[in-house]
Amino acid sequence: MCTRLRAPITNTCVHTCVCPHANAPLRDAAAHPVPPRSPQALCSQPGRPKDYALPNASWSRDMLDLYDRFLAMTKEGLWKRIPSYNNVLDHIPESMKLAHEKKKDTRLFLRSIEAEGVGFEYVMFLNSSEKRVVCLFQPGSYLEGHPGFAHGGSIATIIDSTIGSCAIFVAGRVMTANLSINYMSPVPLGSVVLVDSKVDKVEGRKVFLSCKVQSVDGGTLHAEATALFIQLDATKSQKQQASCQ
Ligand SMILES: CCCCCCCCCCCC(=O)SCCNC(=O)CCNC(=O)[C@H](O)C(C)(C)COP(=O)(O)OP(=O)(O)OC[C@H]1O[C@@H](n2cnc3c(N)ncnc32)[C@H](O)[C@@H]1OP(=O)(O)O
């Protein structure tokens, strides 16, 4: 299967990105506006916490087009959309929770701004066989650093979370021990970037990963990162629990 994304402007394949249909014509923005979505597509499942990794009115055409492409790939079975909740414990299966981890009035940092479109708008997709997680990220106006551009800390946050999710799916409970980022080109607020992360190697409890942040057309490399995550040691975690109680 093709794993390249076609550049919307040039219609050429971009090597490092992901494409469901290499030969399919790309949607012309003016001629084919984004169709309205059914209520089922926009709402979370009843009885479940709100899933924020679903399209909302703030998502740009680029974001929606990319989302549609990845969603199409999920139907082929290799990719899975990762739901996203505002409480981190909702992501962790009961069997993997530590005894002291009870749900409180806390929020996952990236989901701490409730208003749509001003904070972190993102959705992640997992490819287990490639040990890879790709995040479609649209930074909102409250993430400003240099005027008009996303704060470097917000870029670090989305990289850490994307790489972290990749590490979690490969190695279970992990924490960031090291994150090294080279910022190459600023990310305009409201633009869409692809955060493409993969596991490079696992050595014992150490999980080494790398990541690229690129524009949708693949023409701009915004940032590159490497990271080390450490699988949590159950014995040490028990001791930490005891000291927290
Ligand atoms: C699905 C959606 C989810 C949704 C959730 C979204 C995901 C969010 C992801 C966010 C992730 C975060 O922000 S995490 C928050 C930021 N990170 C932290 O606060 C971590 C603080 N650090 C720690 O707690 C600790 O240092 C740990 C847990 C990282 C490691 O401690 P430890 O378990 O005692 O391990 P330790 O024995 O020291 O080290 C194990 C091995 O790793 C090596 N090692 C340890 N640290 C380093 C290091 N910085 N650089 C090089 N090597 C290191 C050691 O030399 C050793 O190698 P050897 O002797 O075996 O060869």
Side-chain angles (χ1 to χ4, degrees):
M1 196 196 85
C2 173
T3 55
R4 294 173 180 197
L5 177 70
R6 299 179 91 203
I9 309 295
T10 60
N11 255 12
T12 53
C13 275
V14 178
H15 177 66
T16 51
C17 298
V18 180
C19 170
H21 305 298
N23 299 315
L26 286 151
R27 187 153 51 196
D28 177 280
H32 303 282
V34 179
R37 278 140 210 281
S38 69
Q40 286 84 353
L42 292 170
C43 299
S44 303
Q45 297 293 312
R48 295 286 304 151
K50 178 179 173 182
D51 183 351
Y52 289 81
L54 291 170
N56 67 50
S58 78
W59 284 21
S60 67
R61 178 176 305 283
D62 276 349
M63 186 79 170
L64 290 166
D65 279 350
L66 269 177
Y67 177 79
D68 285 346
R69 291 182 194 188
F70 273 87
L71 213 56
M73 288 197 292
T74 64
K75 297 192 172 77
E76 292 162 16
L78 282 176
W79 290 86
K80 277 190 181 152
R81 188 186 69 88
I82 306 175
S84 175
Y85 310 111
N86 66 13
N87 191 300
V88 73
L89 283 183
D90 285 326
H91 299 85
I92 303 173
E94 284 305 321
S95 59
M96 287 172 73
K97 284 180 188 161
L98 305 174
H100 73 287
E101 289 180 329
K102 304 280 181 238
K103 208 165 163 182
K104 295 183 190 139
D105 189 20
T106 54
R107 277 199 170 204
L108 180 65
F109 179 37
L110 292 91
R111 297 298 185 195
S112 57
I113 301 173
E114 191 60 35
E116 290 174 354
V118 293
F120 292 86
E121 290 295 339
Y122 68 94
V123 51
M124 294 183 195
F125 291 87
L126 164 74
N127 183 321
S128 296
S129 59
E130 292 182 6
K131 297 181 179 165
R132 184 171 169 205
V133 168
V134 174
C135 173
L136 322 181
F137 173 46
Q138 180 185 298
S141 53
Y142 289 3
L143 304 186
E144 188 166 50
H146 197 83
F149 294 99
H151 194 288
S154 71
I155 305 294
T157 300
I158 200 73
I159 290 175
D160 192 19
S161 298
T162 305
I163 288 189
S165 299
C166 194
I168 287 167
F169 281 107
V170 169
R173 298 291 296 268
V174 291
M175 280 187 99
T176 321
N178 182 271
L179 178 62
S180 173
I181 302 173
N182 287 320
Y183 294 96
M184 279 106 145
S185 175
V187 176
L189 293 173
S191 71
V192 179
V193 291
L194 281 143
V195 186
D196 192 348
S197 70
K198 64 179 171 55
V199 171
D200 293 325
K201 63 176 175 177
V202 179
E203 283 177 1
R205 292 169 52 216
K206 291 185 273 192
V207 187
F208 296 86
L209 302 103
S210 56
C211 175
K212 282 186 174 163
V213 180
Q214 287 179 287
S215 57
V216 172
D217 65 6
T220 307
L221 179 60
H222 292 287
E224 273 182 328
T226 55
L228 170 65
F229 280 71
I230 308 291
Q231 222 170 6
L232 295 187
D233 180 316
T235 332
K236 290 181 183 172
S237 296
Q238 295 299 331
K239 282 185 195 153
Q240 277 169 0
Q241 274 180 57
S243 66
C244 288
Q245 284 161 354

